[in-house]
Structures are given as C-alpha cells and as structure tokens.
Amino acid sequence: MELLKKWLGHPEEIYNLLRFKMGGYRVVMPRIDPDSLGGGLRTCYRYLNQTSRSFAAVIQALDGELRHAVCIFYLVLRALDTIEDDMTISLDVKVPMLHEFHSYLYQPEWKYTESKEKDRQVLEDFPTISMEFRNLSKVYQDVISDVCHKMGVGMAEFLEKKVDSQLEWDTYCHYVAGLVGIGLSRLFSASELEDPIVGQDTELANSMGLFLQKTNIIRDYLEDQLEGREFWPKEVWSRYAKKLSDFAKPENIDMAVKCLNELITNALHHVPDVLTYLSRLKNQSVFNFCAIPQVMAIATLAACYNNKQVFRGAVKIRKGQAVTLMMDATSIQAVKAIMYQYVEEIYQKIPSTDPSSNKTQQIIASIRAVSLPGSPMASRHHFSPIYLSCAMLLAALSWQYLTTLSKATEEYVQASEN
C-alpha cells in the first residue's frame, strides 16, 4: 500500500514506468544482436551483462566501434577492481599485480584463478578479454592501457592508507572514478564521435567521475561501515565525531547529518563542470551514456541531503523517478532543468542552523546561474486533471504488476551502481 501511495503522488512516474516497460527503454538503451558478434566479443558482452546489467545496457547503446572499446575498457577495469577488492590476496602479491596489471593486457596467456570475488570470471578468462583488447584499434588500446596503469598505481597507494584530507578524498576519487571519466572522454574523441576537446579537457572529465564517486561514497556510509570500509574524509568527519563509526549511533544523529550536509555541499561543486562537459557533446548515444548517471547522482544527493536515513539504512530514489530521469535526460536543456529542480529541492531543506548552510546556498546559487529554467523540461511535470484521474486509476489497477519489472530494468534504475 505504501508503494501505491508513492505512485499516486507521482503520476508521471507511473506513465513513464509503463512506457519504459512497453518499449520506451529501446530509445535510451537499444540492445545489440549477440549473433552479429564474433565468439570472443560475444563472451565479453556476456561477462558485461553478468557483472553489471546497468552498464551493459548503456554501453550497448553506444554507436559504432566505440561500443566495443568501452565494453573492453569496462571489463579490464572490472578485473583490476576485483583484484583490489579481494581481501584474500596478500599485499605482497596484490601491490605488484596492481602496478603491473596494464602489462597483462599484452600477455595472451595471463590469467588469475585464485580470486574468491563474485566477478572472478573476468580474471579467470582474462585471455579472452585481453585478446579482444588487442583487436581494438591502437588508439583505443593506448587509452585503456594508460588509464589502467594509472589506476593500478593509485589503488595500490590507498590500500593501506585512509582518506584523511579533502585533497586526499579528491585524489582517491580521481584514481577510482576520475580516471574512468578521463579514459572514456579520450575514447569518445578517439572514435571521432566527439571533438578532440572532450578528451583533452581532463579537468572536466575528472569532475564527471568525482561527482558520481562522491555521491556513491556519501550514500553508502552504512554499507561501507558494515563491511569495514571508510571513505569519508577524516578532515571533515573529525569535526563532528571522534570516530566515523559514531555516526551510526542514534545519540550522534544530529552531528552525523551536519557532516553529511557538508560532504554533499562539497560534491555539488562539481555540477557546473558536469554541465559544461555535457554541453560539448554532439553524439546522442554518448550524451545519453554520460548524462543518465549524472542526473541519477543529483537526484540521489537531493534524497540524501539532511536525511537521517543515510545512517540507518539505504536511501534510494524511486524506480519510477529513475526511469523518468533516464527518459528525460536526452538534451543539455533537459539536464539543466533536472539539475535546477534537484538543487532547488536541496535548497528548500537547508537548516538555518547547519554549519555549512552558507556554503550550500552559495554553490546552489552558482548552479542556478548555469541551469536557469525556461526550457521545455521546466514544465515537464504538468498534467491535466483528466490525465491525473486516469493515472490514479491506472495506479490502483496496475501497481502490483509494475513491481514485477524485469531484473535488468530494476538493476539499472537503482540510483548509480559503481
């Protein structure tokens, strides 16, 4: 019944869920025919679907040879990440592997069969992935190898090092996500689907990755605590608690929320760069690929801001909300309107007593200046009384059916995955 109440409050999401389920997903996530691929590539796309249905969906929507380059890029980084995450590998083995991993791309027989991680198949059958890597044009190989090298070195640096300062937070996020943004941008330009400046402006590409990674780190506080991981910068949280784990205690919830708001304010500083980056994109498939995660991130931050639930359980955006974002975020004007909508939502929740309130208001003012409403998207939530009545009736009749959305759709519309 709670689910029905949520939908009744957002009739446009009911409509978009149905539209998405009945074929609308093909507009933003068209699929490729596996029979059109060679054996090695077919295997790689199978691994892609097994390790991340969400990334598989948007990667397969990319145009031309860029699709295969990004697929291989993702699998290579997934293999690298699997090594970094595997706590059963001793540091004296893991550190050299991370440093040398980029060289394994050119070693046809290299594989690793001792991992206990859930995605270990990308290591056990790395020869198939590395073969397809070597089948890519050299310009793509050079980008993937370079990013893989830099990321491996960065991961090794933070294996035994906690994130203390805000500068180190940015550095860590650069290694695990900013480099992904830089690598993807270089691939976009190498494909000639985008102008050279997209791949050359590493500062903007880095911000794209940092915005997503910081959003994940902020949202995943409790999950990371339960698994013994800490990614919130000590420079910030130490002003509010003696230990980061103290935020999970009910008596510390007020200070926890103040720290949360400060970190969200920090993350919002990347939004102007995100909008500048997206404004340069020309290819529709590349734009969709880049824009969808970014609008999911701003919606997630709006849901997390000043929200005690971050320290009690999972905070996720509604599936209908996510589908609506996916189907709407197809132009820079639309994305600006979405960003404007969610920063306004944050603005309305700023507590006057919050230590970061002035900084939050300042960055929101900056975002407003570059994402003023006025596009067709600004009125995208307007529905006639007749439509609203029909939508509510539809909700009453079909809410149970909608909960059976396919697994692929459900996984994709979780607020950002990695």
Side-chain angles (χ1 to χ4, degrees):
M1 214 41 177
E2 285 301 313
L3 184 59
L4 178 58
K5 290 178 182 177
K6 287 182 181 179
W7 283 344
L8 288 174
H10 302 275
E12 75 282 359
E13 293 178 9
I14 304 168
Y15 170 71
N16 284 328
L17 273 169
L18 281 174
R19 190 157 59 104
F20 190 85
K21 180 66 175 177
M22 295 172 68
Y25 64 89
R26 295 190 186 96
V27 176
V28 288
M29 296 191 301
R31 300 184 67 81
I32 58 173
D33 178 11
D35 293 335
S36 67
L37 305 174
L41 265 179
R42 191 158 55 244
T43 298
C44 287
Y45 278 100
R46 186 173 78 249
Y47 291 154
L48 181 65
N49 276 282
Q50 290 171 351
T51 55
S52 174
R53 287 181 182 273
S54 58
F55 278 112
V58 290
I59 287 172
Q60 290 178 89
L62 290 168
D63 290 337
E65 62 182 15
L66 177 62
R67 178 190 304 132
H68 300 327
V70 174
C71 172
I72 300 304
F73 185 41
Y74 175 86
L75 291 178
V76 168
L77 296 188
R78 173 62 72 181
L80 179 64
D81 191 55
T82 299
I83 289 175
E84 192 240 0
D85 285 344
D86 194 332
M87 303 304 290
T88 67
I89 305 176
S90 63
L91 288 181
D92 59 336
V93 173
K94 184 183 292 189
V95 171
M97 284 180 71
L98 292 175
H99 278 279
E100 299 299 322
F101 195 84
H102 66 289
S103 68
Y104 303 153
L105 292 166
Y106 298 97
Q107 299 177 30
E109 304 303 319
W110 187 90
K111 60 184 175 181
Y112 186 75
T113 59
E114 298 176 33
S115 176
K116 304 298 187 293
E117 291 290 296
K118 62 181 178 66
D119 293 328
R120 58 185 176 274
Q121 73 267 26
V122 295
L123 291 171
E124 293 171 348
D125 192 20
F126 197 74
T128 297
I129 297 171
S130 67
M131 176 184 68
E132 292 302 329
F133 163 82
R134 293 188 297 277
N135 285 339
L136 295 172
S137 299
K138 186 176 184 301
V139 66
Y140 296 133
Q141 291 185 38
D142 290 346
V143 171
I144 294 171
S145 176
D146 181 53
V147 170
C148 186
H149 186 196
K150 291 174 180 174
M151 187 176 290
V153 171
M155 286 177 168
E157 178 184 336
F158 279 90
L159 279 177
E160 293 186 290
K161 175 181 177 181
K162 288 192 175 182
V163 178
D164 287 331
S165 68
Q166 293 186 67
L167 178 59
E168 286 176 332
W169 198 37
D170 280 359
T171 302
Y172 171 76
C173 291
H174 164 74
Y175 282 137
V176 300
L179 281 171
V180 178
I182 291 169
L184 286 168
S185 300
R186 291 170 62 188
L187 292 178
F188 299 157
S189 294
S191 72
E192 298 185 354
L193 293 176
E194 298 297 345
D195 291 334
I197 187 62
V198 172
Q200 293 167 357
D201 196 333
T202 56
E203 185 175 346
L204 291 188
N206 188 58
S207 278
M208 292 283 285
L210 264 61
F211 185 57
L212 299 182
Q213 186 65 21
K214 288 181 178 181
T215 297
N216 288 343
I217 288 173
I218 290 167
R219 179 199 61 195
D220 294 341
Y221 165 83
L222 193 59
E223 178 184 330
D224 287 337
Q225 280 293 304
L226 293 174
E227 296 187 13
R229 301 189 299 254
E230 293 190 354
F231 298 114
W232 285 26
K234 185 177 181 180
E235 179 184 345
V236 176
W237 65 254
S238 62
R239 292 198 290 268
Y240 303 95
K242 291 183 179 180
K243 295 184 296 182
L244 184 56
S245 59
D246 288 345
F247 289 153
K249 299 175 182 177
E251 62 269 26
N252 298 320
I253 192 64
D254 290 340
M255 298 303 285
V257 169
K258 290 176 181 177
C259 182
L260 168 71
N261 291 346
E262 181 171 346
L263 291 182
I264 289 176
T265 299
N266 177 293
L268 289 174
H269 280 82
H270 298 292
V271 172
D273 278 355
V274 167
L275 292 175
T276 301
Y277 180 97
L278 293 174
S279 70
R280 289 176 173 171
L281 302 179
K282 302 184 303 182
N283 179 271
Q284 188 65 55
S285 74
V286 173
F287 185 90
N288 293 349
F289 178 89
C290 295
I292 289 172
Q294 301 295 331
V295 296
M296 296 286 190
I298 191 66
T300 299
L301 289 182
C304 289
Y305 186 81
N306 209 48
N307 189 349
K308 297 177 181 178
Q309 186 60 25
V310 171
F311 305 96
R312 296 170 177 166
V315 174
K316 298 178 181 179
I317 59 178
R318 298 178 304 277
K319 288 182 173 63
Q321 181 184 5
V323 165
T324 297
L325 289 170
M326 288 167 52
M327 300 186 76
D328 283 350
T330 56
S331 70
I332 186 60
Q333 293 80 12
V335 171
K336 285 182 177 182
I338 291 168
M339 290 290 187
Y340 187 92
Q341 171 191 335
Y342 284 108
V343 296
E344 285 301 300
E345 187 176 310
I346 292 172
Y347 183 82
Q348 296 302 321
K349 296 192 289 186
I350 299 174
S352 59
T353 57
D354 190 273
S356 303
S357 60
N358 288 338
K359 290 182 179 179
T360 310
Q361 290 168 353
Q362 288 170 10
I363 184 55
I364 287 178
S366 298
I367 296 170
R368 281 172 175 160
V370 294
S371 60
L372 291 174
S375 69
M377 287 296 298
S379 59
R380 64 196 179 100
H381 294 315
H382 174 74
F383 295 88
S384 69
I386 292 176
Y387 174 79
L388 288 173
S389 298
C390 292
M392 290 180 184
L393 176 61
L394 178 62
L397 294 173
S398 62
W399 70 273
Q400 188 170 10
Y401 164 74
L402 287 174
T403 63
T404 63
L405 284 171
S406 67
K407 182 179 179 182
T409 301
E410 287 198 10
E411 287 192 12
Y412 186 80
V413 299
Q414 297 297 334
S416 319
E417 183 183 351
N418 292 324

